[in-house]
């Protein structure tokens, strides 16, 4: 009984302990669940409250600013174009252009095919290569040029060619061809003109050479209607005569051609003050004067230029003047039946300054007035006689184009946009063409800078520095004749910087 009682107590104790343990465990679990529930509820209330606060309080904009902004939409093609145009404009440097113009391109005369112009071709190659142009190369052609006789290949302080200083001579003469008055027929020295204080020969390229004497005829601008308006006496005097023409209102080659067709033996081209000199400056709205005080031609200034009406190399009409191309002879290109249809002139042609032109006008007007004028240069009751001598060399010489290329990357990359300017000049060429050469170098530099930033054009771009443009658009014409098929097929635009 005692054992049973004892056992009962034990079992009873065990039941009590077991019930107490289960009750204690259930209460602890319930307590933890309540804590978790309250924590989650408080967190949710806090988050909801925060968003409510952000949406409805003054602090919202400052806190929202930490949120990254949405990604902007991609730029349209037009916007990308405008952005790059703005970059080009911002990066352009007038200081670089000015330095290039003054220190490189206009230090020395650089006529096509001669030493300085070849040095400038190498300068273009070097500068375009440094700018990052994909491909820069030269192309050379052997073409017929006309120039004053070279006395020394390398002379003087600058080491460049020395030319015959007076290849054209003009004089008023009497009936026995004795000189009455010798015209200067040079440009002379301009005080304060900087580099232009060094004179350079005056001539018209492709003029015939020789000596001719004839009666003087004044024919305005030597357009066809100017000849039609001449008096019977003047018109009759053209045959075997010397015709004085004003520059302007037409190509100088057409003036000479018109006079040659009427039988003239020589043509003199002068710059009228009303068109180019002091008289024109007097009407300038900006008050600009004559050189060196302004852009207008001073009385001793002379306009040079070619007088052949054709384009390209006269010896290789219609095809490129490569070294082994077939060529016409020089005699053939002077023949009226030449294949080009435009033979080289048969008359003597020389350019004159305003001062020299006015001296001839004075003699002519004295004759027209019956000898009552004040001319000291002949004339009077007898029509003035003029003797013209021209000494030029016609020979084949090598010219050099520089061609640079930036490859396109768009679907139109096979298309070509060509940007060009000629490099050669009759003398220093500050305005024509060196202002364009300096600007073209800057454009190439800027496009190279864009390219280094990862940009490429949609179309391929060709940059060109042409040679011998002044003679007859020769460099660019030979390039087109050499690359005719490619340009016809792929070129879409040409931009001329000259």
């Amino acid at each position: 009984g005692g054992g049973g009682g004892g056992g009962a107590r034990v079992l009873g104790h065990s039941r009590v302990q077991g019930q107490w343990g289960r009750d204690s465990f259930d209460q602890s679990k319930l307590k933890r669940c309540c804590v978790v529930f309250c924590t989650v509820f408080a967190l949710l209330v806090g988050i909801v409250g925060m968003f409510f606060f952000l949406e409805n309080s003054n602090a919202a904009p400052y806190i929202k600013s930490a949120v990254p902004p949405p990604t902007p939409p991609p730029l349209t093609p037009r916007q990308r174009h405008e952005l790059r145009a703005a970059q080009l404009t911002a990066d352009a440097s007038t200081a670089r252009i000015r330095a290039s113009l003054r220190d490189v391109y206009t230090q020395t005369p650089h006529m096509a095919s001669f030493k300085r112009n070849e040095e400038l071709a190498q300068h273009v190659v070097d500068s375009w290569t440094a700018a990052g142009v994909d491909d820069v190369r030269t192309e050379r052609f052997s073409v017929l040029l006309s120039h004053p006789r070279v006395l020394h290949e390398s002379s003087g302080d600058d080491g460049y060619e020395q030319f015959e200083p007076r290849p054209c001579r003009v004089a008023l003469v009497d009936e026995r061809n004795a000189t009455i008055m010798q015209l200067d027929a040079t440009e002379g020295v301009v005080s304060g003109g900087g580099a232009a204080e060094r004179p350079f020969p005056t001539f018209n390229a492709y003029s015939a050479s020789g000596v001719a004497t004839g009666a003087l005829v004044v024919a305005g601008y030597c357009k066809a209607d100017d000849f039609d308006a001449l008096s019977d006496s003047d018109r009759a005097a053209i045959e075997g005569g010397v015709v004085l023409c004003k520059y302007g209102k037409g190509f100088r080659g057409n003036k000479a051609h018109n006079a040659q067709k009427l039988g003239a033996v020589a043509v003199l081209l002068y710059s009228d003050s009303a068109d180019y000199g002091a008289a024109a400056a007097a009407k300038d709205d900006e008050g600009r004067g004559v050189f060196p005080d302004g852009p207008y031609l001073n009385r001793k200034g002379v306009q040079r230029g070619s007088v052949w009406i054709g384009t390209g190399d006269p010896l290789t009409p219609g095809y490129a003047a490569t070294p082994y191309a077939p060529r016409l002879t020089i005699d053939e290109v002077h023949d009226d039946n030449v294949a080009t249809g435009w033979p080289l002139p048969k008359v003597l042609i020389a350019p004159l300054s305003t001062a020299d032109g006015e001296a001839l006008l004075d003699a002519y007007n004295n004759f027209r007035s019956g000898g009552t004028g004040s001319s000291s240069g002949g004339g009077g009751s007898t029509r003035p006689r003029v003797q013209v001598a021209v000494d030029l060399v016609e020979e084949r010489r090598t010219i050099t184009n520089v061609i640079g290329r930036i490859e396109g990357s768009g679907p139109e990359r096979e298309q070509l946009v060509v940007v060009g300017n000629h490099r050669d000049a009759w003398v220093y060429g500050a305005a024509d063409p060196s202002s364009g050469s300096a600007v073209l170098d800057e454009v190439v530099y800027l496009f190279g800078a864009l390219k280094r930033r990862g940009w490429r054009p949609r179309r391929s771009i060709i940059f060109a520095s042409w040679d011998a443009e002044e003679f007859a658009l020769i460099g660019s014409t030979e390039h087109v004749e050499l690359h005719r098929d490619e340009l016809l097929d792929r070129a879409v635009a040409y931009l001329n910087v000259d």
Side-chain angles (χ1 to χ4, degrees):
R9 286 195 297 273
V10 171
L11 290 176
H13 176 77
S14 296
R15 286 197 300 271
V16 172
Q17 286 291 99
Q19 183 65 44
W20 178 88
R22 286 194 299 273
D23 291 345
S24 175
F25 171 78
D26 290 342
Q27 289 175 2
S28 175
K29 183 178 180 181
L30 178 62
K31 184 183 296 184
R32 285 197 302 270
C33 288
C34 288
V35 170
V36 170
F37 174 80
C38 292
T39 301
V40 171
F41 179 78
L43 182 60
L44 291 174
V45 171
I47 292 173
V48 172
M50 181 184 70
F51 278 103
F52 179 80
F53 171 75
L54 290 176
E55 292 294 332
N56 296 277
S57 73
N58 293 332
Y62 305 101
I63 300 175
K64 285 181 180 178
S65 64
V67 180
T71 302
L75 296 176
T76 65
R78 182 177 182 85
Q79 288 171 329
R80 287 197 299 271
H81 168 77
E82 291 174 346
L83 177 62
R84 294 201 175 98
Q87 289 174 334
L88 286 171
T89 303
D91 292 344
S93 168
T94 56
R96 277 194 302 265
I97 296 172
R98 185 179 298 111
S100 178
L101 179 61
R102 289 190 175 183
D103 301 337
V104 178
Y105 285 105
T106 61
Q107 282 299 300
T108 303
H110 48 283
M111 192 162 56
S113 82
F114 288 96
K115 182 177 179 181
R116 180 54 183 166
N117 202 46
E118 289 300 296
E119 291 177 347
L120 289 177
Q122 188 60 49
H123 161 78
V124 173
V125 171
D126 294 342
S127 63
W128 290 6
T129 301
V133 174
D134 291 327
D135 180 54
V136 183
R137 62 185 63 188
T138 59
E139 55 182 20
R140 292 182 167 87
F141 303 97
S142 178
V143 302
L144 182 68
L145 299 184
S146 166
H147 59 83
R149 198 170 298 280
V150 177
L151 301 181
H152 302 285
E153 290 293 336
S154 179
S155 64
D157 296 336
D158 53 13
Y160 297 109
E161 301 90 351
Q162 180 184 346
F163 295 93
E164 162 60 47
R166 199 187 299 261
C168 302
R169 297 174 184 269
V170 181
L172 280 163
V173 298
D174 62 19
E175 293 181 354
R176 292 173 295 181
N177 291 339
T179 299
I180 298 173
M181 181 176 67
Q182 183 75 47
L183 302 185
D184 190 17
T186 65
E187 200 160 37
V189 173
V190 179
S191 178
E197 292 182 4
R198 298 198 298 271
F200 194 78
T202 61
F203 71 104
N204 286 125
Y206 300 116
S207 165
S209 291
V211 179
T213 305
L216 178 63
V217 178
V218 177
Y221 295 96
C222 289
K223 301 188 278 71
D225 54 357
D226 288 322
F227 284 108
D228 291 339
L230 291 177
S231 67
D232 291 341
S233 171
D234 279 335
R235 191 169 180 84
I238 295 175
E239 181 75 33
V242 176
V243 179
L244 180 65
C245 305
K246 292 192 287 188
Y247 264 113
K249 299 187 178 180
F251 174 52
R252 68 186 77 83
N254 292 112
K255 300 171 188 287
H257 184 68
N258 291 338
Q260 178 178 296
K261 286 193 302 181
L262 296 173
V265 296
V267 176
L268 302 174
L269 301 163
Y270 82 101
S271 303
D272 191 342
S273 176
D275 294 319
Y276 300 99
K283 300 176 183 178
D284 189 286
D285 293 336
E286 299 178 22
R288 297 174 296 178
V290 299
F291 184 82
D293 300 319
Y296 291 93
L297 203 61
N298 64 69
R299 287 179 54 77
K300 295 295 293 178
V302 179
Q303 294 191 55
R304 300 159 183 82
S306 173
V307 287
W308 184 47
I309 298 177
T311 56
D313 173 34
L315 302 181
T316 57
Y319 54 93
T322 54
Y324 301 105
R327 283 173 167 79
L328 301 174
T329 66
I330 292 180
D331 287 340
E332 286 175 326
V333 295
H334 283 279
D335 191 283
D336 288 336
N337 297 317
V338 66
T340 62
W342 297 111
L344 295 180
K346 295 182 177 63
V347 294
L348 307 182
I349 308 164
L352 298 176
S353 66
T354 300
D356 283 345
E358 289 179 353
L360 293 179
L361 281 175
D362 190 26
Y364 177 79
N365 290 333
N366 191 35
F367 154 70
R368 290 294 298 270
S369 65
T372 60
S374 60
S375 171
S376 60
S381 60
T382 304
R383 183 181 288 271
R385 286 169 52 80
V386 178
Q387 187 172 87
V388 180
V390 177
D391 181 22
L392 298 178
V393 176
E394 289 179 348
E395 63 176 349
R396 280 174 56 185
R397 295 187 63 87
T398 300
I399 63 170
T400 305
N401 292 336
V402 181
I403 309 297
R405 185 186 189 105
I406 294 180
E407 295 291 345
S409 62
E412 305 95 339
R413 60 183 174 275
E414 293 300 315
Q415 296 180 354
L416 303 176
V417 175
V418 185
V419 185
N421 180 71
H422 74 95
R423 185 182 67 257
D424 65 298
W426 291 122
V427 193
Y428 299 92
D432 177 15
S434 298
S435 61
S437 296
V439 168
L440 182 58
D441 282 355
E442 181 69 8
V443 169
V444 172
Y445 173 84
L446 294 172
F447 273 78
L450 277 181
K451 181 171 166 283
R452 288 191 293 275
R453 298 172 191 162
W455 168 87
R456 279 193 177 271
R458 290 169 58 185
R459 297 172 177 85
S460 296
I461 301 176
I462 303 294
F463 297 106
S465 174
W466 310 121
D467 202 357
E469 184 272 353
E470 295 289 7
F471 285 84
L473 307 176
I474 295 179
S476 56
T477 300
E478 299 310 305
H479 176 85
V480 170
E481 290 172 346
L482 183 63
H483 302 279
R484 186 194 313 270
D485 293 341
E486 180 188 25
L487 293 170
L488 285 173
D489 184 52
R490 300 174 58 188
V492 296
Y494 176 69
L495 305 177
N496 190 43
V497 188
D498 177 18

